Amino acid sequence: MDVRVGDKLQMKKSHPCGTNVFEVLRIGADFKIRCTGCGREVMVPRHKCEKNIRKIVRESAGSEQ
């Protein structure tokens, strides 16, 4: 799965604060993700995180010159 730092992940299950969108801060054997609702940061094993991703939202780079 092609997940990059800075991507927003829409997950199958929501965070206790009510949102289901997380921002990727770090990738490796574990993903460090931040809840976009409350700002909580958590480390999740890669296989568990990839299994629960519903959609990856990428910010388009715009006009790079």
Side-chain angles (χ1 to χ4, degrees):
M1 190 167 278
D2 184 31
V3 178
R4 301 177 193 159
V5 174
D7 288 351
K8 302 249 192 279
L9 305 177
Q10 183 179 6
M11 305 300 262
K12 292 178 183 174
K13 295 185 177 181
S14 62
H15 192 250
C17 73
T19 187
N20 67 341
V21 180
F22 295 83
E23 180 183 1
V24 179
L25 303 175
R26 177 185 163 304
I27 55 175
D30 297 323
F31 284 176
K32 186 172 188 177
I33 56 177
R34 177 187 298 138
C35 176
T36 58
C38 64
R40 173 79 60 163
E41 295 179 3
V42 290
M43 294 287 286
V44 184
R46 177 183 276 270
H47 68 276
K48 186 174 180 182
C49 190
E50 287 181 344
K51 185 177 84 169
N52 290 316
I53 294 173
R54 180 171 288 162
K55 185 167 81 170
I56 299 173
V57 179
R58 278 210 176 93
E59 300 297 325
S60 59
S63 59
E64 293 183 14
Q65 294 179 356

